[in-house]
Amino acid sequence: MTEKTETTPAWLSPEELESVRGRMPILYIDAVPVRVDDTGVVTRVGLLLRIHSDGTVSRALVSGRVLHHERIRDALMRHLEKDLGPVALPNIPPSPQPFTVAEYFPTPGVTPYHDARQHAVSLAYIVPVAGDCRPRQDALDLVWFTPEEVASPAVQGEMTGGQGVLLKQALAHVGRLV
Amino acid sequence: MTEKTETTPAWLSPEELESVRGRMPILYIDAVPVRVDDTGVVTRVGLLLRIHSDGTVSRALVSGRVLHHERIRDALMRHLEKDLGPVALPNIPPSPQPFTVAEYFPTPGVTPYHDARQHAVSLAYIVPVAGDCRPRQDALDLVWFTPEEVASPAVQGEMTGGQGVLLKQALAHVGRLV
Amino acid sequence: MTEKTETTPAWLSPEELESVRGRMPILYIDAVPVRVDDTGVVTRVGLLLRIHSDGTVSRALVSGRVLHHERIRDALMRHLEKDLGPVALPNIPPSPQPFTVAEYFPTPGVTPYHDARQHAVSLAYIVPVAGDCRPRQDALDLVWFTPEEVASPAVQGEMTGGQGVLLKQALAHVGRLV
Amino acid sequence: MTEKTETTPAWLSPEELESVRGRMPILYIDAVPVRVDDTGVVTRVGLLLRIHSDGTVSRALVSGRVLHHERIRDALMRHLEKDLGPVALPNIPPSPQPFTVAEYFPTPGVTPYHDARQHAVSLAYIVPVAGDCRPRQDALDLVWFTPEEVASPAVQGEMTGGQGVLLKQALAHVGRLV
């Protein structure tokens, strides 16, 4: 690309990212990993487990930034591989149309989604995963829940930033919210 | 089911179907079989080939009726298996939301879709197919085209009843219509 | 249309419809009437009220059959006008893509939707309504609820056949399910 | 918001935006203004006209950046009002789900969309417009075309950056691409 010079590297430094974060929306993807049966019915939803230093537990979707000059489907692949390992065999949807767009605002209450660090706008996709999932070393585990379980107050209460709501939207989209 | 008696069998006879066809909309599915790459990009579209008795050729999507007490995803599976064989390994989409609804009218011109026999309303889905496709004995072949080829006048001219239009809608939905 | 003769009228008689009902899926539409603010946010959902002979109350979406040779959008208009009156000013969505498809099975439990009379497959749409709603004389009233209210157990408990689930799917689709 | 201090204003300066543009994806919206009939059928598509200093003409969708702490639907309203005037009466869709996502890359050929200045990711919506459109003083005019006209080579040839492709996707989504 011709628009870059030696003095402006292709990637933002951590300080630059921090500075930009408070001043423009940052593009994210959210992926809901699912197991499906032979006819495409969602039978399980995969949630990442994080154990915090204070002993509390939170559960999360696969989520992350889209980088400069990265296609959305490449960002989906990169984050799924990072969180689920190299042999998860995700089936990225053929259509770029997300099932919804989650607008995480730094101010709580503007939308159901909240991110204290930034205004993140996340394109959300349901991704069937056919292979073996091996979360990486960074203290994450992956647990497969039934649709009924992820919609339950117990699991919903372990999700943060509005991802519980996003998950219910995913279930509704696949006809599995009861 | 309790509502059926010996005198009303679960399936319509050919004569009954014929009688009903002219008087109520008949529910169909249309499936667009596609090959995708590792990131979900559609690389090929599969079209069935029919050679007619007069030597003309037409190309068609996988298409057929939804039966009584049959889920849409089971109808998709049944028609895909009938037309592509038992080891095609179709990935039926997790969501029941079709990418569009094609309303085939017996009167030409009401919509872009036409079916002289009946008013058929068809839920249209894009179905990635991972396995080996072996069309059945009834003189059908399956040919894989690039997205550019299926949108070309040559291939569009070999499709009937508005399925060429439906195919372009499918390409548009997956971001492959140029 | 050329396929009809004098002996096969364009519409099914009540007896014929009854006979067909148990033997093929019947095409329906479901419409969720909503009020929106200037930016398109859904602020209210309209539900029809039915008072039954035994004094019980049920609430329902606008719902009905698609007739032969009737476009889906014309069926939407017809049922909305029948249930909300002639000056409701519904904004039928420009796209024929429904937000979901509800498969009402005569056997409970196959899907979340149930209709003891028949196998009905219903294309579901969210329809902003700008005008004045005047439900017709047949003992129906229309009540506007907030999204929070329609998702509450109280209102959900007054809906039948799985329409409560369908309503939550509609709320999820517009980002108003919490 | 607590994360901002006097030294980091809420908005990026032009120099900062320029610096960021080459290094992270910028969030945009694209709106396709349409006229619809009583049943929601798209009858006309509105395109902005730009006359360049060299006398050439280009036609464009309503398009622009999403700002920090701005909801997507507010960005849609702001850009529609800027380009179509204050009495256009746009009906912003109730659902945040875009009909597609256009990834404008600075390198041509990665996707069908291209923007030499930046990597822009644009959420694309179809917006029925009911009121009177009065494009602002900055040399823009608005012309209403039929669906057939906007898909024609003549109009497609006047669109840049892949917006012609995006427009055909919009037509396909509303069932008006032939």
Side-chain angles (χ1 to χ4, degrees):
Chain A
M1 289 171 295
T2 59
E3 76 277 22
K4 288 200 221 96
T5 72
E6 286 176 27
T7 55
T8 54
W11 309 103
L12 293 173
S13 71
E15 294 76 22
E16 286 173 314
L17 179 59
E18 211 48 52
S19 164
V20 168
R21 267 196 164 131
R23 296 185 287 165
M24 64 187 299
I26 312 292
L27 186 66
Y28 269 65
I29 58 89
D30 273 306
V32 183
V34 297
R35 297 286 195 198
V36 296
D37 72 12
D38 283 355
T39 63
V41 172
V42 170
T43 55
R44 288 287 187 285
V45 177
L47 292 180
L48 298 167
L49 176 72
R50 286 198 178 88
I51 301 175
H52 299 277
S53 50
D54 63 355
T56 58
V57 159
S58 71
R59 300 195 189 272
L61 301 174
V62 172
S63 187
R65 272 215 295 148
V66 180
L67 299 178
H68 184 255
H69 218 274
E70 183 181 45
R71 292 182 310 168
I72 288 159
R73 45 181 80 250
D74 292 319
L76 281 166
M77 279 301 286
R78 181 170 57 83
H79 289 292
L80 285 162
E81 186 161 316
K82 173 170 62 63
D83 283 346
L84 305 187
V87 291
L89 303 179
N91 289 313
I92 309 290
S95 170
Q97 184 183 41
F99 73 87
T100 198
V101 179
E103 305 179 70
Y104 295 86
F105 269 64
T107 311
V110 181
T111 71
Y113 318 103
H114 175 243
D115 184 340
R117 299 169 303 163
Q118 62 191 349
H119 173 197
V121 175
S122 185
L123 311 183
Y125 299 90
I126 290 150
V127 182
V129 166
D132 198 17
C133 293
R134 300 171 189 165
R136 299 299 182 80
Q137 69 280 14
D138 52 341
L140 291 177
D141 194 7
L142 181 81
V143 180
W144 293 103
F145 293 97
T146 65
E148 291 73 22
E149 288 168 343
V150 292
S152 72
V155 175
Q156 288 279 316
E158 291 175 350
M159 304 192 74
T160 59
Q163 286 203 340
V165 171
L166 187 55
L167 194 48
K168 286 198 282 186
Q169 287 175 284
L171 291 178
H173 186 66
V174 298
R176 295 292 275 140
L177 183 76
V178 185
Chain B
M1 289 173 293
T2 58
E3 75 275 22
K4 292 205 217 92
T5 71
E6 286 178 28
T7 54
T8 54
W11 308 103
L12 293 173
S13 70
E15 294 74 25
E16 286 172 315
L17 179 59
E18 209 51 50
S19 163
V20 168
R21 267 198 163 128
R23 296 185 288 165
M24 64 187 298
I26 312 291
L27 185 65
Y28 269 65
I29 58 87
D30 273 304
V32 183
V34 297
R35 297 287 196 196
V36 296
D37 73 12
D38 282 355
T39 63
V41 171
V42 170
T43 55
R44 288 287 187 287
V45 177
L47 292 180
L48 298 167
L49 177 72
R50 286 201 179 87
I51 302 176
H52 300 276
S53 50
D54 62 356
T56 58
V57 160
S58 71
R59 300 193 189 273
L61 301 173
V62 172
S63 188
R65 273 214 296 147
V66 180
L67 298 180
H68 184 257
H69 218 273
E70 183 181 45
R71 293 180 311 167
I72 289 160
R73 44 181 79 255
D74 293 319
L76 281 166
M77 280 301 286
R78 180 170 58 84
H79 288 292
L80 285 161
E81 186 161 316
K82 172 171 60 63
D83 282 346
L84 306 186
V87 291
L89 302 179
N91 290 313
I92 307 291
S95 171
Q97 185 183 40
F99 72 88
T100 198
V101 179
E103 304 179 70
Y104 295 86
F105 268 65
T107 312
V110 180
T111 71
Y113 318 104
H114 175 242
D115 184 340
R117 298 169 302 162
Q118 61 191 349
H119 174 197
V121 174
S122 185
L123 310 184
Y125 298 90
I126 290 150
V127 182
V129 166
D132 198 17
C133 294
R134 299 172 190 164
R136 299 301 182 77
Q137 67 279 15
D138 51 341
L140 291 177
D141 195 6
L142 180 81
V143 180
W144 293 101
F145 293 96
T146 65
E148 291 74 21
E149 287 168 344
V150 290
S152 71
V155 174
Q156 288 280 315
E158 291 175 350
M159 304 192 75
T160 59
Q163 285 203 339
V165 171
L166 187 56
L167 194 48
K168 287 198 282 186
Q169 285 175 285
L171 291 177
H173 185 67
V174 297
R176 297 292 276 139
L177 182 76
V178 187
Chain C
M1 292 173 293
T2 57
E3 75 276 22
K4 293 206 217 91
T5 71
E6 285 177 29
T7 55
T8 54
W11 308 102
L12 292 173
S13 71
E15 294 75 23
E16 286 172 313
L17 179 59
E18 211 48 52
S19 163
V20 167
R21 269 198 161 129
R23 295 186 287 165
M24 64 187 300
I26 312 293
L27 185 66
Y28 269 66
I29 58 89
D30 272 306
V32 183
V34 297
R35 297 286 196 198
V36 296
D37 73 11
D38 283 354
T39 65
V41 171
V42 169
T43 56
R44 288 287 188 285
V45 176
L47 293 179
L48 298 167
L49 177 72
R50 286 198 178 88
I51 301 174
H52 300 277
S53 49
D54 63 355
T56 59
V57 160
S58 70
R59 299 194 190 273
L61 301 174
V62 172
S63 187
R65 272 216 296 148
V66 181
L67 299 179
H68 184 257
H69 219 275
E70 182 182 45
R71 293 181 311 166
I72 288 160
R73 46 181 79 253
D74 292 319
L76 281 166
M77 279 301 286
R78 180 169 57 84
H79 288 292
L80 285 161
E81 185 160 317
K82 172 172 60 64
D83 282 346
L84 306 186
V87 291
L89 303 178
N91 290 313
I92 308 290
S95 171
Q97 185 183 40
F99 73 88
T100 198
V101 178
E103 304 179 70
Y104 295 86
F105 269 65
T107 311
V110 180
T111 70
Y113 317 103
H114 175 242
D115 184 341
R117 298 169 301 161
Q118 61 190 350
H119 174 198
V121 174
S122 184
L123 310 183
Y125 298 90
I126 290 150
V127 182
V129 166
D132 198 16
C133 294
R134 298 173 190 164
R136 300 300 182 80
Q137 69 280 14
D138 51 342
L140 291 176
D141 195 6
L142 180 81
V143 181
W144 293 101
F145 293 97
T146 66
E148 292 73 22
E149 287 167 344
V150 289
S152 72
V155 175
Q156 287 280 316
E158 291 175 349
M159 303 192 73
T160 59
Q163 286 203 339
V165 172
L166 187 56
L167 194 48
K168 286 198 282 186
Q169 287 176 284
L171 291 178
H173 185 66
V174 299
R176 295 292 276 138
L177 182 76
V178 187
Chain D
M1 289 172 292
T2 59
E3 75 277 20
K4 292 205 219 95
T5 71
E6 287 176 26
T7 55
T8 54
W11 309 103
L12 293 174
S13 71
E15 294 75 23
E16 286 172 313
L17 179 59
E18 210 50 51
S19 164
V20 167
R21 269 200 162 129
R23 295 184 290 164
M24 63 187 299
I26 311 292
L27 186 65
Y28 269 66
I29 56 90
D30 273 304
V32 182
V34 297
R35 297 287 196 197
V36 296
D37 72 12
D38 282 355
T39 64
V41 171
V42 170
T43 55
R44 289 286 188 285
V45 176
L47 293 179
L48 297 167
L49 176 74
R50 287 198 179 88
I51 301 174
H52 300 278
S53 51
D54 63 355
T56 58
V57 160
S58 71
R59 300 194 189 272
L61 301 174
V62 172
S63 188
R65 273 214 297 147
V66 180
L67 298 178
H68 184 256
H69 218 274
E70 183 181 45
R71 294 182 308 168
I72 289 159
R73 47 181 79 252
D74 292 318
L76 280 167
M77 279 302 286
R78 181 170 56 83
H79 289 292
L80 284 161
E81 186 160 316
K82 173 171 61 63
D83 282 346
L84 305 187
V87 291
L89 303 179
N91 289 314
I92 308 290
S95 172
Q97 184 183 42
F99 72 87
T100 198
V101 179
E103 304 179 70
Y104 295 86
F105 269 64
T107 312
V110 180
T111 70
Y113 318 103
H114 175 243
D115 184 340
R117 299 168 303 162
Q118 63 191 349
H119 174 197
V121 174
S122 185
L123 309 183
Y125 298 89
I126 290 149
V127 183
V129 166
D132 197 17
C133 294
R134 300 171 190 166
R136 299 299 182 79
Q137 69 280 16
D138 51 342
L140 291 177
D141 195 6
L142 180 81
V143 180
W144 294 101
F145 293 97
T146 65
E148 291 74 23
E149 287 167 345
V150 290
S152 71
V155 174
Q156 287 279 315
E158 291 175 350
M159 303 192 74
T160 60
Q163 285 203 340
V165 171
L166 187 56
L167 194 49
K168 285 197 283 187
Q169 286 175 285
L171 291 178
H173 186 67
V174 298
R176 296 292 275 140
L177 183 74
V178 187

